[in-house]
Amino acid sequence: MCNMNIRNWCRAAGVRALKTMAQAAVAMIGTAAVLSSVDWNLVVSSSVLSGILSLLTSIAGLPELKESEEGK
């Protein structure tokens, strides 16, 4: 049972982190006037940092898991 909870948490936290990373990348790319002026190092580093922060925030709790448990 605990193993399934950890698996569900990892899946939900991973999806949330990937979405957050994509949003950060879109925001960073969107600030450039043209595609050739995008600072790709900044895009990657800010996206990775946002993903790490998302995972750390998920430790406090994931509403997605609470909603799925209520549906059982």
Side-chain angles (χ1 to χ4, degrees):
M1 179 94 158
C2 184
N3 213 7
M4 184 60 103
N5 290 338
I6 291 172
R7 188 176 299 145
N8 289 341
W9 183 90
C10 288
R11 184 177 299 126
V15 167
R16 178 178 274 207
L18 285 174
K19 288 180 180 180
T20 302
M21 291 172 71
Q23 290 170 344
V26 167
M28 295 301 295
I29 293 169
T31 60
V34 292
L35 194 59
S36 63
S37 67
V38 174
D39 183 353
W40 292 105
N41 289 329
L42 184 60
V43 170
V44 170
S45 65
S46 65
S47 296
V48 169
L49 179 60
S50 68
I52 292 169
L53 293 175
S54 176
L55 288 173
L56 292 173
T57 302
S58 294
I59 292 172
L62 289 169
E64 295 91 342
L65 292 180
K66 292 176 185 165
E67 291 171 5
S68 66
E69 288 174 359
E70 290 173 2
K72 286 184 179 179

